Amino acid sequence: MGEFKVHRVRFFNYVPSGIRCVAYNNQSNRLAVSRTDGTVEIYNLSANYFQEKFFPGHESRATEALCWAKGQRLFSAGLNGEIIEYDLQALNIKYSMDAFGGPIWSMAASPTGSQLLVGCEDGSVKLFQIIPDKIQFERNFDRQKSRVLSLSWHPSGTHIAAGSIDYISVFDVKSGSTIHKMLVDRQYMGVSKRKCIIWGVAFLSDGTVVSVDSAGKVQFWDSATGTLMKSHLIANADVQSIAVSDQEDSIVVGTAEGTVFHFQLVSVTSNSSEKQWVRTKPFQHHTHDVRTVAHSPTALISGGTDTHLVIRPLMEKVEVKNYDAALRKITFPHRRLISCSKKKQLLLFQFSHHLDLWRLGSTVATGKHGDTLPLSKDADHLLHLKTKGPENIICSCISPCGSWIAYSTASRFFLCRLHYENDNISLQRISKMPAFLRSAVQILFSEDSTKLFVASNQGSLHVIRLLEGSFKHLHTFQAQSGTVESMCLLAVSPDGSWLAASGTSAGVHVYSLKRLKLHCTVPAYNFPVTAMAIAPNTNNLVIAHSDQQVFEYSIPDKQYTEWSRTVQKQGFHHLWLQRDTPITHISFHPKRPMHILLHDAYMFCIIDKSLPLPNDKTLLYNPLPPTNESDVIRRRTAHAFKISKIYKPLLFMDLLDERTLVAVERPLDDIIAQLPPPIKKKKFGT
């Protein structure tokens, strides 16, 4: 593997925003997740749970509801009173519409996906018709006395249930009038509470309405008579969310104590056709409130204040028998928030509304393998660059020479020139940036820091030449075949001859920067690209996909390399393919052309192409052989994959020079320490 001096960086004070709501789309097997800062993320569950798209947050957008509608259309609503539709191709907001009912607390699409229902602060329930390219107001239902916090359609589309404070209403969709109003018991552990908040409702085909409330109860109601059939007290705090499976034989609920409960419809006796709802399994994978849950055909999905997206498989529905191996807990975004200037040993950290620039520390001490060396010079916080306005930063990058910083929001593009004088740093903002650079989704500098490449959300790629204190627009590569899909990943060759760009489904395109035209397109693959890079000297493009496959494509020859064909013929080790976090960065050793360096959140790997691939009988995570073994034995037990799991969770890792690595870690305990305190639960013996 080679010996490296490693800078272990733990001062990236990144805390993900809490999860507010999730929405599962059964047709595309995709999951939409909204966070408390207004960010919306799209996960492709068929592509190894990869986060393939995201929409940046906004200070005024506190999303309270999220849902899919007919034609793979995604809507959200929140406390600013607006309904938003997202453009899943251009990765921006298609439009927003005021519902004129004050803050919106709940939203639900009809079973056919052609109508949208929202519940508002003023007690109104509003029905919208979903038409091509927009939505249109249809009518109001009977106004309630308090805010409408939850909504659910009957599967037939003829009735809806609405949860408010202290009662549940059942509406007739055709007339918009209230049929039943079911009062909820305020009793909680024998004590009468002032209010009982209905946090969630679910309307089943047989007319049963299931509600969850702030008294810690899950209750089953008969909507025909308006009477309570069954009540389950499951928590000493609020039950905040509910979701039902498509077959209506399984219900998942989440509580403010961090517990997820599973209810199943089971037969009363072995030979009886009569069935009843039974609480079967509690899961404790969260430390804080479970604000939202979803139910896919094979898994229970939950998210909340602790920022984790947890996907718990139902073992009776999946083939994998290893329970813990199948559990997914996604904490960090599947995109890079860190860029590096190797020449000046600088790290640029991206946050929602600011950028931090740090200079790495240094040491003159030496030691043996595994030693921690004392710093002769501490790391310096050089710059805190705060954005103006309410929009979140989409992407950012620092040039390899350390003299340029570029970043983008949804409406503006910023380019800054840095000047260093001894230990002082000054910032010059370049003015009059062109409008076509707005809403950039990816930014990259050339290796010699003379060019800037900007991928717009309309599918085009802009090439900018950087001058001493200004810039010049050189060329724009237009989107291929009329598509407007955003290119989310960029890679440039070290010699500045080639630029590779990848979207979520349009494949990888390679452009010639000398002839300024499309050179070739890499053969299409079923899974999205998670990382890519172009090797020096050979100009081979190495591509990692979400199913953990790694390909090497020769740009000059326009074909896969011999090594890549050998890998695909033999196949990767089964433990390599079972990893559940995507590769997020690829780099190369300047003096060892046969080495490929890559990492995900929990391992760093060097692939040595000169060594044989491991088979399934070989240990993949092979410890270093004893030093007293002969060279013949060491060579016989060696294989191409050298893996280290020392650094985790690993957000970024790269070579600074041929003997030095930088690793940016973000321990989960540090994130939890910055969250609000969870509900304290009494434990036996304390």
Side-chain angles (χ1 to χ4, degrees), residues 11-136:
F11 46 74
F12 181 29
N13 194 25
Y14 172 72
V15 180
S17 297
I19 295 174
R20 181 58 193 92
C21 35
V22 298
Y24 175 71
N25 187 319
N26 201 8
Q27 293 178 342
S28 63
N29 199 26
R30 280 171 169 78
L31 183 74
V33 177
S34 72
R35 297 186 178 266
T36 52
D37 66 347
T39 301
V40 174
E41 303 163 345
I42 310 292
Y43 291 84
N44 187 345
L45 304 192
S46 301
N48 206 13
Y49 302 89
F50 178 62
Q51 185 194 112
E52 61 181 9
K53 300 175 182 179
F54 88 102
F55 300 88
H58 194 282
E59 282 184 348
S60 66
R61 285 202 307 265
T63 305
E64 286 292 324
L66 195 67
C67 74
W68 294 92
K70 187 178 180 180
Q72 312 298 316
R73 295 170 68 176
L74 180 64
F75 295 89
S76 75
L79 301 184
N80 61 355
E82 293 182 343
I83 302 170
I84 294 171
E85 182 175 1
Y86 297 91
D87 188 329
L88 298 179
Q89 292 296 317
L91 299 184
N92 60 6
I93 291 174
K94 187 180 289 186
Y95 62 86
S96 62
M97 175 183 290
D98 199 321
F100 296 104
I104 298 174
W105 291 95
S106 52
M107 179 172 61
S110 65
T112 60
S114 60
Q115 292 175 306
L116 199 65
L117 205 63
V118 296
C120 303
E121 172 75 21
D122 63 359
S124 61
V125 177
K126 299 174 182 290
L127 184 67
F128 291 83
Q129 195 74 25
I130 300 175
I131 57 178
D133 298 326
K134 61 178 181 177
I135 59 174
Q136 184 173 293

Side-chain angles (χ1 to χ4, degrees), residues 332 584 598-604 644 647-653 662-666:
F332 301 104
T584 53
L598 41 82
H599 77 83
D600 63 16
Y602 294 99
M603 69 93 203
F604 168 66
S644 170
Y647 314 102
K648 53 187 180 183
L650 190 57
L651 298 190
F652 178 78
M653 197 163 197
V662 57
V664 181
E665 301 170 271
R666 186 61 177 145

Side-chain angles (χ1 to χ4, degrees), residues 232-245:
H232 297 264
L233 180 63
I234 64 169
N236 295 326
D238 297 41
V239 184
Q240 296 182 314
S241 49
I242 181 172
V244 184
S245 66

Side-chain angles (χ1 to χ4, degrees), residues 36 88 95 103 175 293 330 365 465 498 564 611 621 626:
T36 52
L88 298 179
Y95 62 86
S175 65
V293 292
I330 302 170
R465 181 184 294 279
W498 309 103
S564 186
L611 293 177
Y621 305 110

Side-chain angles (χ1 to χ4, degrees), residues 49-50 60 126 149 157 169 204 233 255 298 327 331 386 400 427 454 473 476 526 533 583 625 665:
Y49 302 89
F50 178 62
S60 66
K126 299 174 182 290
L149 292 161
S169 303
L204 307 183
L233 180 63
T255 72
T298 59
L327 174 71
T331 306
K386 192 171 183 180
L427 184 74
V454 181
H473 177 236
T476 295
N526 294 333
I583 294 167
E665 301 170 271

Side-chain angles (χ1 to χ4, degrees), residues 530-602:
T530 64
M532 62 182 184
I534 301 176
N537 303 321
T538 61
N539 282 328
N540 290 336
L541 175 63
V542 179
I543 307 169
H545 292 271
S546 64
D547 63 344
Q548 311 300 353
Q549 295 288 343
V550 179
F551 296 90
E552 187 181 48
Y553 185 83
S554 174
I555 294 176
D557 298 337
K558 299 184 182 180
Q559 64 179 4
Y560 288 115
T561 64
E562 194 61 37
W563 178 83
S564 186
R565 294 177 191 274
T566 303
V567 169
Q568 293 309 307
K569 186 177 180 180
Q570 178 177 333
F572 284 97
H573 197 284
H574 69 281
L575 292 178
W576 176 268
L577 298 177
Q578 288 174 8
R579 293 180 301 108
D580 59 3
T581 55
I583 294 167
T584 53
H585 184 60
I586 300 172
S587 59
F588 305 94
H589 197 287
K591 297 293 180 65
R592 297 172 187 165
M594 299 302 286
H595 286 191
I596 302 173
L597 289 72
L598 41 82
H599 77 83
D600 63 16
Y602 294 99

